[in-house]
Amino acid sequence: MYQNEARKRREKIAEKLADGQLLLSFGGNDELGVVGIPQREKTDKNFYYLTGMSIAEGLLMLVKSHGALQEYLFVKRRTANEVFYLGRSLDPAYYRERTGIQAVMYMDDFEDVLGTIATWMKLDKIYFCSSFDGFTKYTRYENILADRITRAYPGVQIGSLSKELDFMRLRKSELETEQIQKAIDITQEALAEAAKQLKPGIRGYQMQSILEHEIKMRGGSGDIVQALIGKETTIMHNFYANEATAKDGDLFLADIATFFNDYCCDISRTYPVNGVFTDEQAHWYNVVLKTQEMTIASMRPGKTAQECGQEANAYFTEELRKGGYLKDGETIGTLIREFRINYVTPGMVNHGIGLSCHEERGDEEGKLVPGMIVAIEPGVYFGDKDLGIRIEDDVLITETGCEVLSSNIPKTVSEIEALMKR
């Protein structure tokens, strides 16, 4: 599906290479011996971006020689133990057909191929481009490989093109946008089904199970599904909850990252358990909604993420002051910095989405550019009232402004109450 786009990406990132320079992209860890890490997080997003495939322990090598680009893909040959548990290795021809890269070999051949390349050209610099961050729970293969290379080839410099790929990934193609839109559509249908079963007496883990089931039945993967009830909603990102039993008058908050063909959306909605918002819930819901709408209205190409939502947050601040949550002279930032029991998330460009749930939210200058897809998620989290509300939508930056890709998911008080009634 992504073969042609992946080839163009490899050609573009290779423009950063000079003669005698290489780029190496590692596919991520295999299933065995790596516990406690979701399977999707074992694979490297930049490797997928450049090849169109998730290949556990695969290695992409791009070589620039005499101005020409040479491409090599190395795949793992499984041990007898791995074959027993995971199945046999796929033939290199399979990867050749899927990626369009003609030179596909087993990882056993990598060092010999590198040595051959080093004999007919002077190795100057080798770039890595891992998308993994500092929270990775296992030893970085790139670190080990970089050490081996510098020992074998003294004088070779090690660099990184990770940030350059981050900014390349920020600008979505039409094909990428279609995958994210499909993930959003799946989420919309899953939320509608979950709303039918939301009622007093249901448990949070049951709501989570319903959402995950409905997502999978439609071809998606709900990698992150938060299903929070009552007091649980007042913790902004509560990954340890969903034990609560829904009571009459509670709110239910769903935060969902659905993946489709490895691209994801990020959607949050808040529903009344009994189908009807109380006056106080409706008031704060409408405050959050207006803050979000004002933020989205301020977004357009050329503005920085920090410039968007300023008027929205002036309105939000005034409403919080009226409600007694801010004193004179205090700002939304005061609530956030002091970690009070009552706090909020402001109207802002929160983060980009794509192959990961959290990506860059601005280009190299911090500006919005056409093709970006970003999440906007203001919220209130009032621990003194067991009242948490978040509304999150995914927004595509266009040539002239922006488009809310998740606009079909019911969002106003009347739309949600009508949905619950059905």
Side-chain angles (χ1 to χ4, degrees), residues 129-245:
C129 61
S130 172
S131 65
F132 291 127
D133 59 25
F135 296 102
T136 304
K137 297 181 181 179
Y138 52 84
T139 302
R140 290 272 292 276
Y141 176 81
E142 293 94 328
N143 293 341
I144 299 172
L145 186 57
D147 181 66
R148 286 164 53 189
I149 289 173
T150 52
R151 289 174 184 271
Y153 304 97
V156 171
Q157 294 181 313
I158 300 296
S160 172
L161 288 176
S162 295
K163 187 56 69 173
E164 285 79 357
L165 278 167
D166 286 344
F167 290 124
M168 280 179 59
R169 284 170 50 186
L170 178 144
R171 299 165 172 87
K172 305 298 184 291
S173 68
E174 183 177 345
L175 179 58
E176 290 178 298
T177 301
E178 288 173 358
Q179 311 314 305
I180 294 172
Q181 183 64 66
K182 179 62 176 177
I184 291 170
D185 295 342
I186 290 172
T187 304
Q188 175 183 351
E189 294 175 11
L191 280 166
E193 290 298 319
K196 295 177 182 178
Q197 301 187 56
L198 178 60
K199 59 184 178 181
I202 198 166
R203 303 289 293 274
Y205 60 78
Q206 292 174 309
M207 291 300 297
Q208 178 179 352
S209 178
I210 291 166
L211 287 165
E212 290 174 343
H213 171 77
E214 296 297 336
I215 290 169
K216 287 184 177 179
M217 288 296 289
R218 290 163 173 79
S221 172
D223 280 31
I224 301 173
V225 177
Q226 293 184 327
L228 311 175
I229 294 171
K231 192 172 186 63
E232 293 177 344
T233 66
T234 65
I235 298 177
M236 186 171 62
H237 287 300
N238 194 336
F239 291 97
Y240 304 99
N242 76 5
E243 291 289 333
T245 300

Side-chain angles (χ1 to χ4, degrees), residues 199-422:
K199 59 184 178 181
I202 198 166
R203 303 289 293 274
Y205 60 78
Q206 292 174 309
M207 291 300 297
Q208 178 179 352
S209 178
I210 291 166
L211 287 165
E212 290 174 343
H213 171 77
E214 296 297 336
I215 290 169
K216 287 184 177 179
M217 288 296 289
R218 290 163 173 79
S221 172
D223 280 31
I224 301 173
V225 177
Q226 293 184 327
L228 311 175
I229 294 171
K231 192 172 186 63
E232 293 177 344
T233 66
T234 65
I235 298 177
M236 186 171 62
H237 287 300
N238 194 336
F239 291 97
Y240 304 99
N242 76 5
E243 291 289 333
T245 300
K247 302 188 299 295
D248 190 16
D250 279 345
L251 290 176
F252 168 72
L253 196 162
D255 190 353
I256 306 169
T258 298
F259 280 81
F260 181 78
N261 285 342
D262 283 280
Y263 283 87
C264 79
C265 67
D266 195 2
I267 304 294
S268 294
R269 287 293 185 269
T270 306
Y271 300 151
V273 168
N274 63 9
V276 179
F277 289 98
T278 67
D279 290 344
E280 183 174 40
Q281 290 169 350
H283 167 74
W284 286 110
Y285 188 97
N286 284 325
V287 168
V288 173
L289 179 59
K290 184 173 179 179
T291 299
Q292 189 205 46
E293 290 174 339
M294 291 177 68
T295 301
I296 293 172
S298 72
M299 296 166 56
R300 63 179 182 273
K303 294 184 71 172
T304 66
Q306 290 77 12
E307 290 171 339
C308 299
Q310 293 183 1
E311 291 184 2
N313 285 313
Y315 158 77
F316 199 7
T317 299
E318 185 58 28
E319 290 298 319
L320 290 166
R321 188 168 287 117
K322 289 178 183 177
Y325 291 100
L326 286 177
K327 299 175 182 177
D328 289 342
E330 291 185 333
T331 66
I332 290 175
T334 306
L335 291 179
I336 296 172
R337 287 191 301 272
E338 295 184 2
F339 295 98
R340 298 180 183 178
I341 189 173
N342 299 313
Y343 64 102
V344 301
T345 47
M348 60 183 291
V349 178
N350 292 87
H351 58 84
I353 57 173
L355 288 171
S356 294
C357 188
H358 287 78
E359 297 192 345
E360 293 289 338
R361 62 183 184 131
D363 69 359
E364 294 84 344
E365 297 178 349
K367 294 181 179 180
L368 305 183
V369 293
M372 290 179 59
I373 300 179
V374 295
I376 313 299
E377 51 177 327
V380 294
Y381 311 91
F382 296 154
D384 63 343
K385 301 181 185 299
D386 293 350
L387 186 155
I389 296 167
R390 178 161 65 253
I391 307 171
E392 181 176 21
D393 282 289
D394 299 336
V395 180
L396 169 68
I397 305 302
T398 65
E399 295 291 340
T400 57
C402 63
E403 175 189 352
V404 182
L405 299 179
S406 47
S407 61
N408 286 335
I409 303 178
K411 183 165 65 170
T412 67
V413 167
S414 60
E415 288 173 342
I416 288 173
E417 290 183 345
L419 172 69
M420 298 292 292
K421 185 176 293 186
R422 290 196 301 268

